[in-house]
Each structure stands twice: as structure tokens, then as C-alpha cells.
């Protein structure tokens, strides 16, 4: 971790309790995630036992079960974990930059940009054209939307609150176009678009995992190198600058991390971005403020949420395979209302 | 007043023009911040004193002129290196909910830390010293937003002190605080200058407090410096009228010798034992 423990070593004999608590919680969440992945691997429409799954894992070419485990369930589970982690980290970054606890990747147009591009792709080419191109077009849409919001909000520097306002306006406009496209496209494409918008990991493949993984491998360490800058910026731009933070530069780097994480996650899993709103909050409640502790914790929690949402969608309504987005929202919406209820707004 | 040997000023502004999008505020300001002294910027609202402080603090980039720190243009220097020499406390800072005093003060160590190189012992010493000096150690583990205004401001000053800079700029550090708390803070700040050799530049609103604690006063109006010097020299009825458009008499504190201003109430505004005469009343109504 980039944070040294020195804050609490002032020679007064105070122990570093927050750090110990963080390590404990992160370890617990990590173990919970691993066991949940194991559990998810063993559950599905085709009945499999833990022993069979374990055997299939070590002997990949052996059987039908190996095919189910290696080609159907494992990529989907890994993708769920990566998507959840990416959205959670993207949300944590954004909430810290905007200094508003209700921000999520939605508010700067990422999700609606991806949705518009994906739906436009489906409307233009139908489901016939290789669906492999859908993530690429969604990602392009997400990045373009974020760029547009950024340019429109630019005014001798970037003001987060301006960015949110522009983002909300642009999202509404893109949402309208998306709806229009769904209404005028044929039924099959409209249905597919609808499922995509809800957020689904259906038919995830290793190729998707490999498409998403690089974004995480670059963006998460990069944002962690800026953790202390982020903590300083939480005190306000002027204070941060006084402390020697290059505010604009840091903000651009962190925004780029957030946008690419959210954009990539949405590209492969659709509109699950609610995870980006709630996971950082749960994490903050568990480990407190420091950004370097918040990011890994939020990532683990986001991964768990999407993993369980997808598991529920897969097995709770057999033989139907429901989009994970339904369950993310099902958990997320009440929590969101609860947050609204208890958040005391500070003017800002 | 302690005698301070004249040292070369490390922070200077030369022919500064600065402002915001639609409004030009500073109109050719030259200022050298006196070393080891407490300098106070005074002026009516909109006179440019906060803008000048922000420009000197590199928060604002001047449209013309330049700010020099140790002979180099401050806006071209690495901001972290500047932060190792110059600390700033903006007006009305706000700490995120739940941030503890110790964490806030620890943030002052930012410019001295690197990802790969940290001196935990030196950090701890600086944090400890800053908290002791500002007397906030007693509530080190409490969250900043739960403290009183005066305690909170001491925590922010502790953060700037933990930065261990020779130069400290503070924008209205005493605004909205009780008089007693203002006095305590100014005592603390002037000891920093006089006993620890730090150079301080403050924006203040209270004229008498400024006259009592400043080594040097800089009076501004309409984006220019009208006059500057020791309170004895510049805190005069003429300047108060010229800068603030304030009618006041300036007396001398018999104990400390610092000048005090007593505003002269205009006729009719003065509280009076006698009821105002009917003629005055009629004139007011008409």
C-alpha cells in the first residue's frame, strides 16, 4: 500500500488500529470472494458436485463437466468478478473527484454513451453481425461520451460540479436517442438491446475476460499511485495545491482511470453501473477514508455484488437465465434510497 | 516590536495583474513579503487582497507580471518543491466528514513524501510538533468536523505547520470566529513569526486586530496597494478614510502603543440619551 503507517506513530504509543482493521477486512473479503467463486462454479442448470468440479478443474480436457466448468461457468464467473471490481473502482475514483457521495460512472455519461453506441450497433447491424464487435462499439461510445462531457465542461481547467451537470444533461439526451433506436428497431434486436441495457454476463467467454483484464491491470495500479493525491484533494483544490498536488494533472490521470475502467466494464457486461455507486460506500463504511485502502476494498465488494447478482440470475429462476443487472438493482436501489435518506448534504 | 534585521525577501510579486474571467482585480501590484515578519493585507471588500494572496500562493496565475519565490518564477516551478517552502491556508477550508485531526495534520507532510522515499520518523516529529504548538493534541483522534470553529482552525494551521515551510500565507484565518478565539489565533501566528522566524502573510478583516498584531500593514484599494508600512506609520485617519472611506479617529493604546481606530458615527446614527429632535426626524422622512 502506498500509505505508510506513520500517521499514527507519534511516539505516544498509539497503535495503528485502522490499518490492522483494513488488513483484516481485506483478507476476509478476499477469502469470501474465493469461496463464493467456488460455490458459483458448482451451481448451475446442470447439476454438478464440488468433487466433480474440482476434478474437472485439474483435468480440463476430460469430460462434459470440464467443458461446463472451463468454458461456460469459469469465464462468466471471472468476468463477473472483473466487471464488479472495475465498476467499483471507477465509482470510488469518481465519488472522490466530484466530492459527492451520490456520483457514479453514470453521471459523467459513460453508461449512456456505451448504451447508445451498443444499441446503435444493434439497430444498424442487427444481432446477425458478429456480436464480438458489440463490446468494442460500446467501449468506443463510453469513451467518446466521457470525452465530450469533458470538453463541454472544460473552462480553464475542469470543475467537477460542472462536469456532473454536463454529464447529466448529455446522458438524458443520449438516453432519449437510445430509446428511440430501440423503439424503431426490430423485435429481436430490441430484445437483445434491452437485455444488454439491464446488464448481463450471459454467454461470457474467455475472450471477454482477456478484453477486460488489461484495463484493470493498468488502471488500478495507476490510480493507486495517486492515492495520496486523492486524499489531499478531498480537502479542496486550494489546500491540495498548497500541499504540492498538481491538481489538474492528478484529476486528468484519475478521470482517465475511472472512465476506462467503467467504459470497459460496461462494454462487456452492459448497464451494471449501479455497482459503482454502492460498492465504494460499503467499502468506506468498512475501512474509512484513505483512498489506498478504499480502492482494494471497493474492488472486492464490487466483485462480490456482481458475482452474486449473476449467480442469482443463473440459478434462482431455472431454467431461465436472468440478467445480473436486475439483481444488482434489486440490492442497489433500496441501498441508494437509504443513502439519500441519511446523507447530510454539505454545500459544495 | 522585535527588531528584525532586514533580509532579502524570498517571496515577491512584480507588476501583478490578475483577475477572474470577467473581472480584472489586480492592477499592477508590487509587493515584497518581509522576512520573519507578520504582514497583514487590509482593504475593503473587492479591493483585491484575497486575489493578491492567491496569486502569491500560485493558486491564481497572473495575466501579467510575475511572482518570484527565491528568485524563480513560482508558476514555473515544480508545485511540490514550492510546497516544501510555502504553505497556504485558503479561506474557509472544509474537511471531509470523519477525517480525524491527526489525519488532517498528517496531510501537511504530503510535499515531503514520495511513493518510494518516506521518512516516517521525521514525519511523526513534524506532526507531533505542529499539534503541540497549536494545542490540538488533546483531541487528535476526534473528527475535525465535530470540533468548534476555533479548534478546527487550529487544526488547519497545524496542518500547514506540519508542512514545515518558512513562508505561510493565510486567507482570512479568523473570519467568523469569536473575538477571543481570533485573538488567540493571532497570538499564535505572531509567535510563529517572532519566535520561530517564519514569514507570514495574512488577509484580515478586523482593522484593530490587524493594527495590534501586524509588523507590517499593506493597504489595498481597487486592485492597487495604497500604502504599506508599520501600523504606526500607515494606520492613520487619512489612510483609513482613503482606503476604506471610513471616518475614524486613530488613538494610541496606552499599554502597547499600537494604534486603534474608533469609527466616528455620522450624526443621527450615534446612540443618544436624548430623544432625537423632531426637526431631524422630519428631515429623515422627507
Amino acid at each position: 500500500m502506498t500509505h505508510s503507517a506513520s500517521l499514527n506513530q507519534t511516539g505516544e504509543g498509539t497503535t495503528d488500529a485502522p490499518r490492522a482493521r483494513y488488513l483484516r477486512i481485506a483478507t476476509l473479503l478476499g477469502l469470501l470472494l474465493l469461496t463464493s467463486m467456488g460455490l458459483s462454479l458448482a451451481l448451475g442448470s446442470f447439476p454438478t458436485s464440488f468433487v466433480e468440479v474440482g476434478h474437472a478443474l485439474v483435468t480440463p480436457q476430460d469430460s462434459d463437466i470440464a467443458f461446463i466448468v472451463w468454458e461456460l461457468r469459469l469465464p462468466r464467473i471471472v468476468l463477473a468478478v472483473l466487471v464488479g471490481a472495475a465498476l467499483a473502482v471507477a465509482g470510488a475514483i469518481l465519488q472522490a473527484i466530484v466530492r459527492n457521495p451520490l456520483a457514479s460512472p453514470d453521471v459523467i455519461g459513460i453508461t449512456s454513451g456505451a448504451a447508445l453506441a451498443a444499441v446503435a450497433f444493434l439497430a444498424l447491424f442487427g444481432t446477425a453481425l458478429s456480436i464480438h464487435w458489440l463490446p468494442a462499439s460500446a467501449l468506443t461510445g463510453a469513451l467518446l461520451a466521457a470525452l465530450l462531457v469533458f470538453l463541454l465542461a472544460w473552462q480553464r481547467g475542469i470543475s467537477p460540479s460542472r462536469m456532473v451537470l454536463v454529464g447529466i444533461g448529455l446522458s438524458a439526451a443520449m438516453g432519449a436517442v437510445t430509446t428511440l433506436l430501440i423503439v424503431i428497431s426490430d423485435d429481436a434486436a430490441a430484445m437483445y438491446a434491452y437485455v444488454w441495457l439491464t446488464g448481463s454476463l450471459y454467454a461470457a467467454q474467455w475472450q471477454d475476460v482477456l478484453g477486460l483484464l488489461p484495463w484493470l491491470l493498468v488502471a488500478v495500479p495507476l490510480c493507486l499511485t495517486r492515492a495520496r493525491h486523492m486524499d489531499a484533494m478531498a480537502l479542496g483544490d486550494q489546500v491540495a495545491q498548497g500541499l504540492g498536488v498538481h491538481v489538474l494533472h492528478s484529476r486528468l490521470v484519475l478521470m482517465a482511470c475511472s472512465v476506462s475502467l467503467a467504459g470497459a466494464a460496461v462494454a462487456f457486461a452492459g448497464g451494471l453501473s449501479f455497482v459503482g455507486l454502492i460498492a465504494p460506500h460499503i467499502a468506506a463504511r468498512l475501512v474509512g477514508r484513505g483512498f489506498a485502502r478504499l480502492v482494494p476494498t471497493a474492488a472486492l465488494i464490487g466483485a462480490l455484488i456482481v458475482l452474486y447478482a449473476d449467480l442469482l440470475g443463473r440459478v434462482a429462476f431455472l431454467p431461465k437465465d436472468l440478467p445480473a443487472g436486475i439483481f444488482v438493482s434489486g440490492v442497489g436501489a433500496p441501498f441508494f434510497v437509504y443513502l439519500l435518506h441519511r446523507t447530510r448534504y454539505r454545500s459544495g | 516590536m522585535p527588531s528584525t534585521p532586514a533580509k532579502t525577501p524570498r517571496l515577491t510579486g512584480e507588476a501583478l495583474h490578475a483577475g477572474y474571467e470577467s473581472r480584472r482585480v489586480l492592477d499592477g501590484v508590487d509587493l515584497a513579503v518581509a522576512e520573519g515578519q507578520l504582514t497583514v493585507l487590509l482593504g475593503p471588500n473587492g479591493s483585491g487582497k484575497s486575489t493578491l494572496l492567491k496569486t502569491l500562493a500560485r493558486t491564481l496565475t497572473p495575466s501579467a507580471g510575475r511572482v518570484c519565490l527565491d528568485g524563480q518564477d513560482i508558476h514555473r516551478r515544480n508545485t511540490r518543491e514550492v510546497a516544501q517552502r510555502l504553505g497556504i491556508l485558503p479561506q474557509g477550508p472544509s474537511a471531509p466528514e470523519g477525517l480525524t485531526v491527526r489525519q488532517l495534520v498528517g496531510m501537511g507532510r504530503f510535499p515531503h513524501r514520495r511513493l518510494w522515499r518516506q521518512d516516517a520518523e521525521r514525519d511523526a516529529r513534524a506532526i507531533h510538533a505542529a499539534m503541540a504548538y497549536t494545542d490540538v493534541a488533546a483531541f487528535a483522534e476526534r473528527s475535525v468536523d465535530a470540533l468548534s470553529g476555533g479548534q478546527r482552525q487550529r487544526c488547519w494551521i497545524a496542518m500547514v505547520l506540519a508542512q514545515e515551510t518558512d513562508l505561510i500565507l493565510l486567507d482570512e484565518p479568523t473570519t467568523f470566529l469569536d473575538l477571543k478565539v481570533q485573538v488567540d489565533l493571532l497570538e499564535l501566528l505572531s509567535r510563529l513569526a517572532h519566535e520561530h522566524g517564519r514569514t507570514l502573510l495574512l488577509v484580515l478583516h478586523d482593522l484593530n486586530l490587524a493594527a495590534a498584531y501586524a509588523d507590517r500593514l499593506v493597504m489595498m484599494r481597487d486592485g492597487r496597494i495604497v500604502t504599506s508600512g508599520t501600523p504606526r506609520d500607515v494606520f492613520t485617519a487619512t489612510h483609513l478614510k482613503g482606503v476604506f472611506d471610513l471616518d475614524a479617529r486613530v488613538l494610541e493604546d496606552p499599554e502597547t502603543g499600537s494604534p486603534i481606530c474608533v469609527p466616528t458615527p455620522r450624526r443621527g446614527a450615534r446612540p443618544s440619551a436624548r430623544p432625537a429632535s423632531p426637526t431631524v426626524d422630519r428631515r429623515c422622512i422627507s
Side-chain angles (χ1 to χ4, degrees):
Chain A
M1 264 343 58
T2 53
H3 263 301
S4 79
S6 62
L7 270 186
N8 289 318
Q9 297 169 350
T10 50
E12 289 161 3
T14 41
T15 53
D16 199 344
R19 184 181 162 83
R21 180 180 158 82
Y22 161 68
L23 289 175
R24 207 167 53 237
I25 285 171
T27 314
L28 265 175
L29 286 173
L31 290 174
L32 183 61
L33 182 62
L34 283 177
T35 46
S36 305
M37 286 170 80
L39 175 72
S40 185
L41 206 51
L43 295 174
S45 52
F46 187 89
T48 44
S49 71
F50 282 101
V51 180
E52 285 169 327
V53 168
H55 184 254
L57 273 177
V58 284
T59 51
Q61 287 83 26
D62 219 24
S63 57
D64 289 351
I65 292 184
F67 176 78
I68 290 171
V69 168
W70 274 95
E71 297 304 321
L72 299 181
R73 288 186 194 162
L74 197 54
R76 185 165 174 168
I77 288 167
V78 174
L79 190 66
V81 166
L82 295 184
V83 163
L87 286 172
V89 175
I93 295 172
L94 207 71
Q95 284 169 9
I97 290 182
V98 178
R99 291 182 83 184
N100 185 327
L102 300 180
S104 80
D106 297 334
V107 300
I108 54 167
I110 295 171
T111 313
S112 46
L116 178 55
V119 171
F121 177 88
L122 289 170
L124 284 176
F125 305 110
T127 45
L129 191 79
S130 168
I131 223 69
H132 295 316
W133 289 100
L134 190 65
S137 67
L139 180 57
T140 314
L143 299 183
L144 282 179
L147 190 68
L148 190 59
V149 169
F150 217 77
L151 291 178
L152 288 173
W154 184 273
Q155 212 175 44
R156 298 190 350 172
I158 193 80
S159 129
S161 52
R162 217 177 125 75
M163 211 164 61
V164 171
L165 287 177
V166 172
I168 289 173
L170 198 71
S171 292
M174 291 190 298
V177 180
T178 307
T179 311
L180 180 70
L181 285 175
I182 292 179
V183 170
I184 60 172
S185 52
D186 65 78
D187 285 356
M191 191 59 213
Y192 195 93
Y194 200 74
V195 169
W196 189 91
L197 287 177
T198 314
S200 168
L201 295 152
Y202 182 71
Q205 297 175 344
W206 283 116
Q207 186 183 333
D208 300 329
V209 170
L210 291 178
L212 178 56
L213 191 60
W215 296 91
L216 276 148
L217 289 181
V218 173
V220 174
L222 185 60
C223 83
L224 281 175
T225 65
R226 296 272 150 182
R228 290 190 320 111
H229 302 62
M230 193 62 116
D231 290 341
M233 284 192 283
L235 304 176
D237 287 4
Q238 276 193 62
V239 174
Q241 194 196 21
L243 290 170
V245 177
H246 199 306
V247 174
L248 180 62
H249 182 251
S250 297
R251 195 168 277 158
L252 287 176
V253 170
L254 286 159
M255 282 303 304
C257 290
S258 178
V259 166
S260 51
L261 283 173
V266 169
F268 288 103
L272 285 171
S273 51
F274 217 62
V275 178
L277 176 69
I278 56 177
H281 279 288
I282 301 173
R285 203 134 307 166
L286 288 174
V287 299
R289 293 218 158 258
F291 192 71
R293 292 173 191 170
L294 186 68
V295 164
T297 315
L300 287 168
I301 288 169
L304 277 166
I305 292 175
V306 176
L307 183 65
Y308 276 105
D310 187 50
L311 180 63
L312 273 176
R314 272 200 306 131
V315 301
F317 295 89
L318 286 173
K320 278 200 164 72
D321 190 328
L322 297 180
I326 295 173
F327 300 97
V328 169
S329 305
V331 178
F335 187 75
F336 184 74
V337 173
Y338 161 74
L339 271 180
L340 277 173
H341 177 70
R342 81 171 285 284
T343 302
R344 282 171 297 140
Y345 260 109
R346 306 168 136 246
S347 58
Chain B
M1 200 134 302
S3 68
T4 34
K7 281 182 269 178
T8 330
R10 293 176 59 191
L11 183 66
T12 56
E14 297 159 18
L16 293 176
H17 291 257
Y20 306 93
E21 253 135 65
S22 52
R23 204 164 62 91
R24 251 178 56 169
V25 183
L26 293 188
D27 185 17
V29 171
D30 290 287
L31 179 72
V33 184
E35 281 297 296
Q37 297 200 341
L38 191 149
T39 305
V40 172
L41 295 174
L42 277 180
N45 291 329
S47 61
K49 51 193 190 313
S50 271
T51 308
L52 176 57
L53 191 102
K54 281 185 198 156
T55 310
L56 291 170
R58 81 194 178 292
T59 308
L60 272 182
T61 312
S63 51
R66 61 179 200 150
V67 176
C68 280
L69 175 65
D70 293 329
Q72 280 178 286
D73 189 334
I74 200 170
H75 288 94
R76 297 191 179 185
R77 296 186 67 146
N78 178 308
T79 187
R80 184 192 289 265
E81 279 172 27
V82 173
Q84 291 170 358
R85 302 158 191 234
L86 172 79
I88 60 176
L89 182 57
Q91 196 179 334
S94 86
E97 232 179 305
L99 190 78
T100 67
V101 174
R102 191 186 299 281
Q103 286 169 330
L104 177 67
V105 179
M107 295 306 295
R109 298 307 296 163
F110 183 90
H112 302 284
R113 288 184 187 173
R114 290 275 185 181
L115 268 181
W116 60 90
R117 183 168 48 77
Q118 300 179 353
D119 187 344
E121 214 160 288
R122 194 184 150 197
D123 288 345
R125 261 203 314 275
I127 293 166
H128 184 72
M131 291 205 300
Y133 187 81
T134 50
D135 202 16
V136 299
F139 36 86
E141 312 304 334
R142 285 175 55 191
S143 52
V144 178
D145 54 358
L147 301 174
S148 74
Q151 290 172 328
R152 213 179 298 157
Q153 195 64 341
R154 292 213 309 271
C155 297
W156 283 100
I157 292 173
M159 183 202 79
V160 178
L161 290 183
Q163 211 173 327
E164 293 185 316
T165 59
D166 292 330
L167 289 146
I168 300 173
L169 312 186
L170 304 100
D171 194 354
E172 300 201 15
T174 60
T175 305
F176 302 126
L177 298 174
D178 291 340
L179 184 59
K180 158 79 170 122
V181 176
Q182 295 191 39
V183 168
D184 289 345
L185 282 178
L186 286 168
E187 292 276 349
L188 187 151
L189 294 172
S190 77
R191 272 192 290 130
L192 271 177
H194 301 147
E195 292 170 18
H196 301 267
R198 310 278 187 106
T199 302
L200 281 89
L201 180 67
L202 278 68
V203 170
L204 286 184
H205 259 297
D206 191 301
L207 297 177
N208 283 328
L209 285 178
Y213 286 99
D215 298 315
R216 278 169 54 85
L217 289 177
V218 176
M219 293 195 178
M220 296 186 68
R221 176 164 191 168
D222 299 332
R224 292 166 193 261
I225 292 176
V226 178
T227 181
S228 66
T230 63
R232 257 168 214 271
D233 292 339
V234 302
F235 200 80
T236 61
T238 326
H239 282 142
L240 291 180
K241 176 71 181 165
V243 173
F244 293 94
D245 195 21
L246 174 75
D247 293 305
R249 285 173 301 141
V250 174
L251 313 175
E252 191 178 282
D253 180 339
E255 262 180 47
T256 62
S258 33
I260 306 167
C261 82
V262 181
T264 332
R266 301 219 165 100
R267 195 186 309 221
R270 196 177 327 179
S272 167
R274 282 171 298 166
S277 65
T279 38
V280 173
D281 273 358
R282 209 168 298 139
R283 205 177 302 149
C284 285
I285 293 161
S286 62

